Amino acid sequence: LTVVFTGDGAAAGSYSYTNSGYSVYEEENDRLTESLRTKVSAIKSLSIEIGTEVKNQNKMLSEMENDFESTGGLLGATMGRLRTLSRGSQTKLLCYMMLFSLFVFFVIYWIIKLR
């Protein structure tokens, strides 16, 4: 009876068993590789979508910045007009405020009196 040994010390008859074990590992590796390929593809598409969203958000922020700058300019011009008005006659402004206060007082008095 002769037994032929392979290089790893296993008998030649068990070589096909070892070979089929490698085949199972190869199939599992192929399955895992395909799973990994699918996950990488999903991450790639997700990162592309994130990049697109970031570009859109940056564009909207730029537009908002321009809107705020124009509003700031308008507000600055309005404040300048108010300063010009406040530099004018203080007595005239005080007189208008007193007349308005009296008007409001009489309106409130009249409403309370009618009840």
Side-chain angles (χ1 to χ4, degrees):
L1 179 63
T2 354
V3 179
V4 178
F5 289 100
T6 61
D8 59 357
S14 65
Y15 182 71
S16 63
Y17 174 75
T18 308
N19 209 9
S20 69
Y22 287 133
S23 177
V24 170
Y25 290 136
E26 285 180 17
E27 289 173 7
E28 185 178 354
N29 279 343
D30 290 342
R31 184 181 55 81
L32 291 174
T33 303
E34 187 60 36
S35 173
L36 186 61
R37 185 177 292 125
T38 304
K39 290 176 184 176
V40 167
S41 175
I43 290 173
K44 178 183 176 183
S45 65
L46 184 64
S47 65
I48 290 172
E49 289 176 15
I50 288 172
T52 304
E53 185 66 25
V54 165
K55 286 178 186 177
N56 290 338
Q57 293 292 329
N58 283 339
K59 181 179 170 184
M60 285 176 31
L61 282 174
S62 176
E63 291 172 0
M64 282 179 57
E65 182 181 2
N66 292 338
D67 291 342
F68 279 127
E69 285 177 4
S70 66
T71 303
L74 182 64
L75 185 62
T78 303
M79 291 300 291
R81 288 187 203 122
L82 282 175
R83 278 191 216 105
T84 304
L85 282 175
S86 68
R87 287 185 196 134
S89 171
Q90 295 292 329
T91 56
K92 194 176 188 182
L93 183 62
L94 187 60
C95 182
Y96 285 140
M97 286 178 53
M98 290 296 287
L99 287 174
F100 179 73
S101 299
L102 280 171
F103 174 74
V104 170
F105 175 74
F106 281 120
V107 169
I108 292 173
Y109 177 75
W110 183 66
I111 292 173
I112 292 173
K113 193 73 168 170
L114 286 178
R115 283 189 167 198

